[in-house]
Amino acid sequence: MENEEAPNALREAREEFVSQWGTIGNAWGINRTMAQIHALLMTSSKPLSTDEIMEDLQISRGNANTNLRDLVGWGLVRSVLRKGERKEYFEAEKDVWKMFCIITRERKRREISPAMDVLRKCGEKTKVLKTPEAKEFSAQIQALLDFLKIGERVMESVAASEQNKVMKLAFKLCT
Amino acid sequence: MENEEAPNALREAREEFVSQWGTIGNAWGINRTMAQIHALLMTSSKPLSTDEIMEDLQISRGNANTNLRDLVGWGLVRSVLRKGERKEYFEAEKDVWKMFCIITRERKRREISPAMDVLRKCGEKTKVLKTPEAKEFSAQIQALLDFLKIGERVMESVAASEQNKVMKLAFKLCT
DNA sequence: CCATACTTTCAGTAAATACTGAAAGTCCAG
DNA sequence: CTGGACTTTCAGTATTTACTGAAAGTATGG
């Protein structure tokens, strides 16, 4: 009896983690299922197949497939092939620092760069104008752009740095 | 003719900025209208009333009101009352560093803290378990938690620091 | 008070997003 | 080849999220 307890407690905790992580992911603008699959794989001791994931999360094959592809696209999950088996298995990157770097780079690419493009374009069009209103507009756009430029560089640098180096600076900041 | 050109170019650039910023906001997980109102106010040389915003973005009163309230809730917009008028006017925080601090604090509160709560809860339940699987799970949860702990502190510190101090460190990182 | 100028709320509806499941596609072993 | 094991796609559908507009609420000057 007692040796049954531990696995159950684990299963429950894991189930809660997976379910809650879905909600968290949602708040981050990531879809629920994708976050849940990620949580599942992050805490799995072995790679899982599409069918195991479908079974575990009670989702359709299409849904599982799409979200797994997206996770692979992000670089947060990779597929592994077992010798002598056709089926594809999936495992998550578990190193937290590596995860962070991947997410940082991806956010830079998806969120910062397009915003900078928009700002640059609007800046171009207005920086030649001479009315006070136009100058004010132009200055505000430029201020946003300058800030994002720095942000972009910092994100790239952080994602390319050794964890230690970043942690030291982080510590410096917090004292 | 020539002195008509400038205002039009400005109007167009601004229109494009507002519209595109909505799309960007969407990619950031912020709703389109809220991002557009923010863009509008950020680049307005004077505070705007609800009616002006409705007119400009072609949206309903309810929509305008809700999103303005949300922006005020974030601290990115404040309402100003003109003496002798009942109507409420709105203006955005334009200082980019201040905007960044507000957003950082808010993201910490809305995105990091709830995730940490979940992790702590799941960690509690499993750290007493002795099976290898449970230990692995527990370790992974702990690794995530430790990382977010640092992240939380960094975000708070950054948002509380002088811009200069942070910029210096940013520069250090990028060299 | 009450008329008026304004703001908030919310039921109903529209639009966007996510999911299903079955059909089509791919790939390989025999 | 071809049969089966597996993956991908996508039209149709469900769910979630955002928006409208009118009614209800609030506050103030007269």
Side-chain angles (χ1 to χ4, degrees), chain A residues 109-125:
Chain A
R109 202 174 64 74
R110 296 178 192 215
E111 299 176 357
I112 308 293
S113 301
M116 285 177 68
D117 293 345
V118 170
L119 289 168
R120 256 192 288 266
K121 206 161 141 207
C122 295
E124 294 296 302
K125 286 202 207 163

Side-chain angles (χ1 to χ4, degrees), chain A residues 8-22:
Chain A
N8 279 343
L10 176 58
R11 237 205 16 245
E12 272 169 38
R14 189 149 172 250
E15 223 160 72
E16 177 165 355
F17 173 63
V18 168
S19 143
Q20 296 284 331
W21 204 250

Side-chain angles (χ1 to χ4, degrees), chain A residues 92-159:
Chain A
E93 171 58 60
K94 289 189 184 178
D95 182 302
V96 180
W97 175 254
K98 283 188 189 160
M99 272 177 52
F100 171 74
C101 292
I102 290 169
I103 291 169
T104 299
R105 275 231 174 77
E106 215 46 30
R107 283 181 98 121
K108 192 196 77 169
R109 202 174 64 74
R110 296 178 192 215
E111 299 176 357
I112 308 293
S113 301
M116 285 177 68
D117 293 345
V118 170
L119 289 168
R120 256 192 288 266
K121 206 161 141 207
C122 295
E124 294 296 302
K125 286 202 207 163
T126 50
K127 72 182 168 197
V128 296
L129 304 177
K130 297 301 178 203
T131 65
E133 281 235 318
K135 286 195 171 182
E136 209 179 322
F137 176 86
S138 194
Q140 183 66 25
I141 296 289
Q142 195 57 47
L144 286 166
L145 187 52
D146 289 342
F147 193 82
L148 287 192
K149 261 184 210 161
I150 296 169
E152 188 177 52
R153 288 191 61 199
V154 168
M155 286 171 94
E156 183 52 40
S157 299
V158 165

Side-chain angles (χ1 to χ4, degrees), chain A residues 31 33 58-60 62-63 67 86:
Chain A
N31 96 41
T33 305
Q58 294 292 308
I59 59 175
S60 73
N63 194 10
N67 284 294
R86 285 199 202 164

